[in-house]
Amino acid sequence: DAGVIQSPRHEVTEMGQEVTLRCKPISGHDYLFWYRQTMMRGLELLIYFNNNVPIDDSGMPEDRFSAKMPNASFSTLKIQPSEPRDSAVYFCASSLGQGNLGGQYFGPGTRLTVT
Amino acid sequence: SQQGEEDPQALSIQEGENATMNCSYKTSINNLQWYRQNSGRGLVHLILIRSNEREKHSGRLRVTLDTSKKSSSLLITASRAADTASYFCATVGYGNNRLAFGKGNQVVVIP
């Protein structure tokens, strides 16, 4: 398996623009997670899905952020409009089964810079 | 919400030495996990210990868990330059699939 795939790897955009981050989880995994990592705040869980259904979006910063999972092999995280404080590395991760007993598998991340 | 907190924050050691990192958390857990992150990369799962376990080994890794003190430690024996990375602990509570990560330990192994 290729592992979790994220695109793009780097994104530079101007304030106010829409940004869409993409993720393909490991085939067969039933959980998908979106994280944001910054030096100041560390690694934060934004939202997670189980069988394509959003379970917990309490970490989504505000209405400018939205996430979808239209099928088991694809998810998007959208920021509209983007702001400089959204600059961070965004990770997607997937796992199998309740309790994360097999651990989570992380993608390489998307480094977002909003100017 | 529960959150791991590693201590110390940064560690610099010579190749061949052992590296020990600690993690504390606040609430009851289902399991605790350790991850490694190399610079510019995603996190990699290293080892998981369940709440009813006290010690676990995987290769050069040894993790302990003390639920009475709500703490865990990760020991890397005979460190190598390739072990240079950030190490995070993360906890999972009962009835949910959230991983609550600590702030991470930066470990530098000097060849």
Side-chain angles (χ1 to χ4, degrees):
Chain A
D1 201 314
V4 176
I5 299 172
Q6 291 187 248
S7 64
R9 293 294 310 276
H10 301 273
E11 177 82 34
V12 180
T13 190
E14 291 184 347
M15 178 177 172
Q17 296 298 305
E18 178 179 295
V19 175
T20 299
L21 310 181
R22 297 172 176 79
C23 174
K24 177 179 168 55
I26 291 174
S27 178
H29 281 188
D30 54 351
Y31 285 86
L32 182 140
F33 306 80
W34 281 101
Y35 293 90
R36 178 172 67 178
Q37 186 177 37
T38 62
M39 289 294 292
M40 289 296 294
R41 300 174 69 92
L43 199 61
E44 304 173 277
L45 175 67
L46 300 177
I47 185 171
Y48 78 89
F49 296 82
N50 176 219
N51 292 323
N52 315 337
V53 176
I55 301 301
D56 185 347
D57 65 354
S58 60
M60 295 286 262
E62 48 199 272
D63 292 346
R64 297 185 298 106
F65 285 69
S66 62
K68 294 182 180 180
M69 192 165 185
N71 57 63
S73 59
F74 184 65
S75 177
T76 59
L77 178 68
K78 186 175 293 187
I79 309 173
Q80 165 64 19
S82 59
E83 297 181 2
R85 60 190 168 126
D86 301 330
S87 297
V89 181
Y90 290 81
F91 289 102
C92 175
S94 68
S95 69
L96 178 64
Q98 175 72 24
N100 288 299
L101 295 179
Q104 290 186 9
Y105 291 76
F106 281 73
T110 295
R111 181 173 295 276
L112 174 65
T113 303
V114 183
T115 60
Chain B
S1 62
Q2 52 200 219
Q3 183 159 10
E5 296 180 0
E6 293 86 0
D7 173 51
Q9 297 293 313
L11 183 65
S12 183
I13 57 175
Q14 294 289 328
E15 200 166 31
E17 293 181 340
N18 296 341
T20 300
M21 287 153 274
N22 298 306
C23 168
S24 60
Y25 55 92
K26 294 183 172 64
T27 61
S28 61
I29 61 171
N30 178 306
N31 65 78
L32 185 145
Q33 306 180 21
W34 286 90
Y35 287 78
R36 183 188 72 230
Q37 184 179 31
N38 291 92
S39 180
R41 308 287 291 272
L43 281 75
V44 175
H45 179 255
L46 295 176
I47 193 167
L48 176 152
I49 187 165
R50 300 190 191 212
S51 60
N52 61 353
E53 298 176 312
R54 292 297 166 259
E55 187 172 313
K56 206 162 181 182
H57 297 255
S58 176
R60 293 184 297 113
L61 303 178
R62 172 177 170 258
V63 64
T64 63
L65 179 65
D66 187 335
T67 53
S68 66
K69 295 181 180 178
K70 290 187 169 57
S71 67
S72 173
S73 68
L74 174 68
L75 168 69
I76 304 173
T77 60
S79 63
R80 305 167 182 168
D83 294 329
T84 294
S86 292
Y87 292 83
F88 294 85
C89 75
T91 55
V92 180
Y94 290 97
N96 70 73
N97 260 48
R98 298 175 60 96
L99 271 179
F101 282 90
K103 295 193 186 323
N105 276 282
Q106 176 67 40
V107 175
V108 176
V109 181
I110 303 165

